[in-house]
Amino acid sequence: MSETADVVIIGGGITGASAAFQLASRGVRVILCEKNFLGAGSTGRSSAIIRQHYSNEITARMALYSLRVFQNFADVVGGDAGFVQTGFVIFVEAKDRAGLEENVAMQQHVGVNTRLMSANELRELDAHLVVPDKLAAAYEFEGGYADPASTTTSFANAAKARGAQIWQDARVTNVVVAHERVVGVETTRGFISTNTVVNCANAWAPQIGAWVNLDLPIRAERHQVATFGRPASSDRPRFVVADFAASLYYRPEGGQLTLAGSIDPAHGTLVNPDNFNQGADLEFIADCAERIQRRYPAMATAEARGGWSGIYGVTPDWHPIIDAAPHVAGFFVAAGFSGHGFKLGPAVGVMIADMVMNVSTPTAQLERTLFRYQRFAEGKPVQGKYEYSIAG
Ligand SMILES: Cc1cc2nc3c(=O)[nH]c(=O)nc-3n(C[C@H](O)[C@H](O)[C@H](O)COP(=O)(O)OP(=O)(O)OC[C@H]3O[C@@H](n4cnc5c(N)ncnc54)[C@H](O)[C@@H]3O)c2cc1C
């Protein structure tokens, strides 16, 4: 016997789980299909840093909305997101000082609790930090990180409690279209009759788009993470740090470890998302160790504890596609979060629910315009306003 759903979501990462929660909360009958297990894609391997530092007002607002959800997760969603508020420091080269100042002013305007900080002020905040006077810096008081697996499971559980079905080990093998409208999906657990599909499959989204002749410009890139034990003499670093001068981010991981990754987009390598090296390279780990020491010399005696690799689903402008397919009624896409989609997950769930249910507020219209599919063909990609980061 086949199933019927109002909406089928393909992909059980943060995006799909958050969307399932929002749709089920509005009384929509949802089936989420995940070919593996919840969080098996990018989400489960994410560094899960939560910061509001964007140069685009719409994205900064999405990040701020999502932060409030992470901070109040048990009340708003239920369950645990593992959010730890550490504060977030961003360093940029002197040449990017004006851009940083402009961004921080915009972020303050949208309500982000952030401000520029001098080298002296940062040294007062943490005497172990080495801050050359030439670097410009800002501090975000409410930044931190979360547990991506818990967050996703909690969203899925909350969706389930509101009537959604969460199918794991259920691969979608085809989207069936009749007269230019979605009529169902074929899965390894049988056919689901539906008029609406949301493709939340990130790096796998192009495979799914191809079934309905939708060409999604999303490539799968391998990105690495290294971990280090903290030296006995120091409990640092305590903040989340994005050091654009050293092209490195890092954050505490629980009480004992520091986790680090590159913020240089060129560090990614194109791979098959179903078959790639999931470990971290020795050279990468050594390189991270050297770069952390530029700000935290005490880390010179930190023990390397290995690492892992995960996939970024990357679009040409490093921003997602959140839109309806132009030529197939009932087919929607929310994919290509390009290495910064975890923190936006709570807001994206709302955006997907609004899009699918055709809710049109001025904010929803602005968001849909920014992340529309056609922007690449039109030659109008999303442009970050600062030079120091592509994902901004
Ligand atoms: C190493 C690393 C560090 C990161 N650090 C950060 C960070 O600090 N902050 C931040 O905000 N973001 C970060 N990100 C990015 C963030 O994790 C991703 O943008 C986000 O998790 C994407 O979530 P998603 O649900 O869209 O995709 P995914 O989590 O990739 O989920 C897609 C799912 O679709 C499933 N799927 C694919 N095909 C099918 C099919 N045919 N049928 C059924 N299911 C299917 C896959 O199995 C997968 O589980 C990082 C990512 C990585 C890899």
Side-chain angles (χ1 to χ4, degrees):
M1 199 182 75
S2 73
E3 288 275 355
T4 302
D6 296 329
V7 177
V8 172
I9 293 171
I10 308 177
I14 180 80
T15 306
S18 173
F21 167 68
Q22 288 297 337
L23 285 163
S25 300
R26 299 184 195 187
V28 175
R29 287 176 310 151
V30 177
I31 300 179
L32 181 153
C33 294
E34 165 53 52
K35 70 175 177 169
N36 211 326
F37 52 88
L38 290 171
S42 287
T43 301
R45 288 155 184 275
S46 182
S47 302
I49 289 170
I50 291 167
R51 46 108 180 157
Q52 282 68 67
H53 194 91
Y54 280 95
S55 69
N56 189 306
E57 194 169 321
I58 292 173
T59 327
R61 284 186 196 281
M62 288 163 64
L64 181 58
Y65 171 91
S66 299
L67 169 71
R68 298 289 174 243
V69 175
F70 283 112
Q71 288 172 324
N72 301 287
F73 204 82
D75 294 335
V76 180
V77 180
D80 191 11
F83 178 63
V84 182
Q85 192 163 303
T86 57
F88 167 81
V89 184
I90 177 167
F91 294 108
V92 301
E93 305 266 20
K95 69 178 172 53
D96 292 315
R97 183 179 294 273
L100 183 77
E101 287 172 2
E102 213 176 293
N103 285 330
V104 167
M106 179 277 288
Q107 289 154 18
Q108 288 170 337
H109 167 73
V110 307
V112 177
N113 189 357
T114 184
R115 71 175 179 85
L116 299 165
M117 273 211 180
S118 68
N120 271 340
E121 284 176 308
L122 279 169
R123 288 181 208 118
E124 272 170 34
L125 207 60
D126 186 347
H128 292 70
L129 198 53
V130 172
V131 194
D133 289 326
K134 64 178 176 134
L135 292 188
Y139 186 68
E140 219 173 83
F141 294 81
E142 295 173 281
Y145 64 94
D147 176 334
S150 281
T151 306
T152 307
T153 308
S154 298
F155 266 126
N157 285 342
K160 222 165 155 180
R162 289 158 179 77
Q165 294 185 50
I166 307 292
W167 291 9
Q168 303 191 66
D169 196 15
R171 177 192 295 267
V172 175
T173 53
N174 196 15
V175 174
V176 184
V177 174
H179 307 295
E180 296 176 350
R181 157 159 279 293
V182 169
V183 293
V185 298
E186 289 162 5
T187 84
T188 48
R189 281 178 53 175
F191 186 74
I192 307 172
S193 183
T194 187
N195 290 131
T196 307
V197 165
V198 191
N199 178 356
C200 298
N202 192 28
W204 294 266
Q207 299 171 7
I208 290 157
W211 298 332
V212 297
N213 291 322
L214 182 67
D215 183 17
L216 292 171
I218 299 172
R219 59 186 190 273
E221 285 190 6
R222 170 180 180 253
H223 285 263
Q224 305 182 56
V225 170
T227 59
F228 301 92
R230 288 158 181 231
S233 60
S234 170
D235 66 345
R236 268 67 175 183
R238 288 187 311 204
F239 315 118
V240 173
V241 177
D243 186 345
F244 283 89
S247 268
L248 194 75
Y249 70 79
Y250 40 98
R251 68 161 174 83
E253 168 70 353
Q256 306 298 323
L257 297 179
T258 294
L259 174 160
S262 173
I263 38 183
D264 179 355
H267 254 110
T269 43
L270 281 184
V271 290
N272 173 349
D274 289 311
N275 182 15
F276 66 100
N277 172 0
Q278 301 189 16
D281 305 338
L282 284 177
E283 309 79 60
F284 173 78
I285 296 170
D287 188 49
C288 289
E290 185 275 315
R291 287 167 195 265
I292 292 181
Q293 288 164 44
R294 296 184 197 174
R295 304 284 162 264
Y296 285 96
M299 289 294 284
T301 56
E303 216 176 85
R305 295 278 176 83
W308 62 85
S309 293
I311 295 291
Y312 290 4
V314 181
T315 65
D317 62 8
W318 284 70
H319 286 274
I321 297 166
I322 306 175
D323 203 355
H327 61 293
V328 184
F331 190 87
F332 297 88
V333 180
F337 286 87
S338 307
H340 59 110
F342 177 77
K343 75 182 75 55
L344 303 175
V348 169
V350 176
M351 289 164 64
I352 292 171
D354 284 351
M355 172 170 74
V356 164
M357 298 178 78
N358 212 10
V359 175
S360 192
T361 60
T363 309
Q365 277 168 12
L366 282 175
E367 291 164 349
R368 256 176 246 168
T369 305
L370 189 69
F371 299 123
R372 73 198 184 284
Y373 167 71
Q374 296 286 12
R375 69 184 190 267
F376 303 110
E378 292 165 2
K380 292 179 184 161
V382 179
Q383 274 174 338
K385 289 197 186 109
Y386 53 80
E387 283 182 26
Y388 55 88
S389 168
I390 188 152

